[in-house]
Amino acid sequence: MLYIRLHLVNLWRFMKNTLYKSNQLIDIVKRVPLDRIFLTTKELHYTYNDIVKLSNQFKSENPSFIGRKCAVISDDRESLALYLPVFDSIFHTILLLPKDAVEYEGIFLKSAEIDYLIHLSAGLVSRIVAVSKVQVEHANESSTYILATSGTSGVPKLASYSLDTLVATAKSDINQGKNFTWGLTYDINRFAGLQVYLQSISSGSTLVIPSISATMTELITLFSRKSVNSLSGTPSFWRKLLMAPSHGALQLKRITLGGEISDQSVLSALSQRYSSAVIVHIYASTEAGVGFVVKDKKEGFPVSFLAHKPDLECQLKITNGNLWIKSTKGCSKYINGNLDIDSEGFLNTGDMVKIEGERVIFLGRQSGAINVGGNKVMPEKVESILEHHPSVAMAKVFSKTNPVLGSIVACEVVVEDSFKCLSLAAVKRDIFSFCKLHLESFEVPVLLKRVDSISINATGKKARN
Amino acid sequence: MKDIILEKFNEALEQTDVDQRFEDINDDQVLLESGLDSLGFAILVALLEEELDLDPFQQMKDAVYPTTFGEFVAIYEKYSL
């Protein structure tokens, strides 16, 4: 009898800790011992109980928000981290607005049928603006999150997810979770940052949030002081961290890489430096969600991942050199566009791959987009700026592999006859200065080569590799 | 080698709109505190590859990320032989 009772208690604990399904983020927060630290910055900290209290207060002050749709824009990361469970507990839908997409704000609010726009600053709600005249209360199902894709050209797409989908891959053992402290290196309004945030909450861990303006040395000092042992970042973030003399101060148990192609150099360097850490690189995108995780510390992924196993949550195939993915954890729909999905339900990731022996290796984007340390650059945009410069007759922009940022922007230009008397150095200086006026710093070409001609293919487009 | 790196270092500073220029850099200068950011280092390595036809980081068996100017120069000296 005692055995059965113990068994039942263990089963209940197991279900509570690992099989928990929740409709609202605040339900996940309430599972955690309330005196545990939820988030901490250099100066402040909040317990899980602080979040529950904040949520109750906001709910009682704003009953008219129940079931409505809101968009949130935050001046800093910690304010959003603090208020996300609060808004999730009352609103039906939360659109996380990136700060760098202000020009599309109106389009986003309209296409996602947003009722309220909420501004956050310094840990407070600084402004709430009603943006729709007709407000409809939506049924209380699993909360919906809308994220903007990091657009390469045109209006960024809005991808919609249910909370259940977003936390599907998160570990949820709150007993184990007390042993993990996560450092945040991403914005929470981007997919990778939201994943780290939700992982930390799901397992009742502490999230350490550095100031956006913190240098790498300041970030390491804060993470080390707060005993951060789990960290997720882009390969470019990790390379920069390894260049900081103080990186040895971090005692890391779990290292995650994502957002760019993880090359063997950075994986090897991390496994040498943090030999006892679990190191994984994640294949994820705003569209596909978390696709798969590679744990063997090698670049690419094993060809065995391509084997057709209908019971898997994530299936992969290669068609015409592109990786296609079928995942139950992807976004449910685009609000303002169509997903490229085939008749079998596979989504085109737009990532070009090749098989080398037993490994599938990533080659870059089908669109030609260049990933400069996690920032996407469209060659056509840069070419258009270059070709506006009086000395440039024609330009071709392409990616060049780089050990610091993964890739950089390089270009070839055909110089107008009247400028051919100038030295290459003078041409370069003038063109780069011009580009800096019209492009983001990571979009400005680093290398420039003067050529006599640029080849055009049969369809009249510049030949790209 | 050090002179070439110094020249390209100043070029990378110029390309990233940093006013500072170096006539010399001490070996113990911490790279991340030298005025170049990640993009600046990416530019520096790309400019050196253009000049020397050498990217030592691609050739390394065991990846090493230098933390000081002296370590950075030593890597280029080792792989240029």
Side-chain angles (χ1 to χ4, degrees):
Chain A
M1 191 64 186
L2 181 64
Y3 171 77
I4 292 172
R5 196 186 299 159
L6 272 174
H7 190 70
L8 283 173
V9 167
N10 284 336
L11 183 65
W12 178 81
R13 277 190 186 143
F14 174 75
M15 289 176 71
K16 185 170 178 248
N17 289 335
T18 58
L19 297 177
Y20 193 84
K21 273 199 86 155
S22 156
N23 286 334
Q24 292 187 325
L25 201 48
I26 199 72
D27 299 328
I28 303 178
V29 169
K30 285 177 182 170
R31 292 168 60 231
V32 183
L34 291 174
D35 58 345
R36 234 182 244 183
I37 303 292
F38 168 74
L39 78 84
T40 173
T41 65
K42 192 177 172 190
E43 294 89 13
L44 301 164
H45 72 263
Y46 299 89
T47 62
Y48 277 82
N49 194 36
D50 291 332
I51 305 305
V52 174
K53 284 200 286 192
L54 198 60
S55 171
N56 290 340
Q57 188 190 343
F58 188 81
K59 223 170 172 175
S60 68
E61 288 171 357
N62 301 287
S64 62
F65 292 168
I66 292 174
R68 302 293 197 270
K69 297 182 174 185
C70 76
V72 186
I73 190 154
S74 182
D75 280 350
D76 53 67
R77 290 169 172 171
E78 56 271 26
S79 301
L80 185 58
L82 195 58
Y83 274 93
L84 208 47
V86 176
F87 297 152
D88 178 295
S89 71
I90 185 163
F91 287 102
H92 169 275
T93 295
I94 303 169
L95 163 62
L96 298 174
L97 282 172
K99 272 168 76 181
D100 57 359
V102 178
E103 57 190 306
Y104 303 117
E105 194 177 289
I107 302 172
F108 285 169
L109 297 179
K110 202 173 169 196
S111 55
E113 299 173 329
I114 295 302
D115 299 315
Y116 295 97
L117 174 59
I118 302 175
H119 291 261
L120 297 174
S121 184
L124 295 168
V125 175
S126 53
R127 201 152 50 101
I128 301 180
V129 185
V131 290
S132 72
K133 286 179 187 149
V134 185
Q135 295 178 2
V136 182
E137 186 173 335
H138 301 274
N140 185 22
E141 55 211 23
S142 178
S143 309
T144 300
Y145 283 77
I146 304 175
L147 295 173
T149 59
S150 45
T152 47
S153 59
V155 181
K157 293 191 173 68
L158 294 177
S160 172
Y161 302 85
S162 72
L163 178 65
D164 287 343
T165 309
L166 288 169
V167 297
T169 53
K171 291 188 169 53
S172 55
D173 186 332
I174 52 171
N175 292 323
Q176 281 292 324
K178 68 175 182 291
N179 302 319
F180 290 91
T181 301
W182 285 87
L184 189 72
T185 71
Y186 296 107
D187 285 337
I188 297 173
N189 54 25
R190 294 291 190 195
F191 188 80
L194 189 61
Q195 281 297 312
V196 172
Y197 175 77
L198 292 174
Q199 173 57 78
S200 182
I201 295 180
S202 293
S203 51
S205 302
T206 297
L207 185 66
V208 181
I209 305 183
S211 144
I212 291 174
S213 59
T215 64
M216 183 54 83
T217 307
E218 288 166 345
L219 183 137
I220 291 172
T221 305
L222 176 71
F223 284 175
S224 161
R225 195 157 59 86
K226 302 278 182 179
S227 305
V228 165
N229 55 21
S230 307
L231 207 47
S232 175
T234 60
S236 293
F237 165 84
W238 285 110
R239 291 185 199 106
K240 190 173 178 185
L241 181 135
L242 290 168
M243 286 175 70
S246 56
H247 71 261
L250 293 173
Q251 303 290 319
L252 298 177
K253 281 185 187 174
R254 188 178 173 87
I255 290 174
T256 307
L257 301 94
E260 294 169 57
I261 297 171
S262 294
D263 60 30
Q264 196 56 53
S265 299
V266 70
L267 289 167
S268 300
L270 285 170
S271 58
Q272 281 167 34
R273 188 65 202 81
Y274 302 104
S275 54
S276 60
V278 173
I279 301 174
V280 298
H281 55 108
I282 290 185
Y283 181 85
S285 72
T286 312
E287 297 86 351
V290 176
F292 54 90
V293 171
V294 184
K295 298 175 179 172
D296 61 9
K297 302 178 187 177
K298 290 184 187 155
E299 64 182 349
F301 62 90
V303 286
S304 60
F305 281 23
L306 298 169
H308 182 65
K309 291 178 189 163
D311 54 323
L312 283 181
E313 285 183 324
C314 165
Q315 293 177 56
L316 301 168
K317 67 175 181 181
I318 300 174
T319 304
N320 297 329
N322 268 17
L323 183 68
W324 291 65
I325 187 166
K326 187 175 176 181
S327 168
T328 55
K329 292 166 292 199
C331 73
S332 49
K333 61 176 179 178
Y334 269 152
I335 304 286
N336 56 346
N338 295 318
L339 290 164
D340 185 6
I341 294 178
D342 71 5
S343 57
E344 295 174 324
F346 281 82
L347 170 80
N348 183 4
T349 65
D351 283 315
M352 298 185 298
V353 291
K354 68 169 178 181
I355 295 176
E356 271 184 15
E358 291 300 304
R359 216 71 191 165
V360 182
I361 304 291
F362 289 97
L363 299 174
R365 298 288 295 165
Q366 181 191 15
S367 63
I370 305 165
N371 192 332
V372 182
N375 296 301
K376 287 180 191 161
V377 179
M378 287 310 287
E380 293 85 353
K381 179 185 174 188
V382 182
E383 284 166 2
S384 149
I385 298 298
L386 287 166
E387 287 170 1
H388 272 87
H389 189 273
S391 72
V392 178
M394 195 173 177
K396 182 178 153 186
V397 167
F398 51 94
S399 171
K400 168 97 180 64
T401 306
N402 185 274
V404 183
L405 289 179
S407 335
I408 49 151
V409 179
C411 69
E412 290 177 345
V413 297
V414 179
V415 174
E416 291 280 4
D417 288 345
S418 53
F419 288 84
K420 280 188 174 158
C421 54
L422 294 175
S423 71
L424 178 62
V427 170
K428 261 188 187 178
R429 198 173 300 122
D430 203 35
I431 291 176
F432 287 171
S433 302
F434 180 77
C435 285
K436 282 177 193 168
L437 295 175
H438 301 282
L439 295 169
E440 298 286 342
S441 57
F442 57 84
E443 294 176 310
V444 175
V446 171
L447 299 174
L448 183 146
K449 195 175 165 191
R450 193 151 64 175
V451 293
D452 293 331
S453 66
I454 286 169
S455 55
I456 303 280
N457 67 17
T459 59
K461 291 182 177 171
K462 287 168 193 160
R464 298 191 190 279
N465 293 326
Chain B
M1 181 59 75
K2 189 177 171 181
D3 290 344
I4 297 171
I5 292 174
L6 197 57
E7 182 195 331
K8 296 297 167 190
F9 204 101
N10 284 328
E11 225 175 293
L13 285 166
E14 187 189 341
Q15 250 174 272
T16 48
D17 290 332
V18 179
D19 291 334
Q20 191 180 4
R21 298 287 178 274
F22 290 96
E23 283 189 8
D24 191 16
I25 304 180
N26 289 335
D27 280 353
D28 58 1
Q29 168 70 51
V30 172
L31 289 172
L32 291 182
E33 292 164 11
S34 65
L36 285 184
D37 58 7
S38 285
L39 182 61
F41 283 108
I43 292 172
L44 174 61
V45 172
L47 293 176
L48 284 168
E49 188 183 354
E50 194 180 41
E51 178 75 23
L52 305 166
D53 198 22
L54 169 72
D55 177 357
F57 301 99
Q58 301 261 6
Q59 297 180 18
M60 285 177 182
K61 263 189 190 165
D62 294 321
V64 176
Y65 290 90
T67 60
T68 63
F69 186 72
E71 287 171 20
F72 188 81
V73 173
I75 287 170
Y76 276 85
E77 281 172 343
K78 181 178 170 189
Y79 284 90
S80 66
L81 296 175

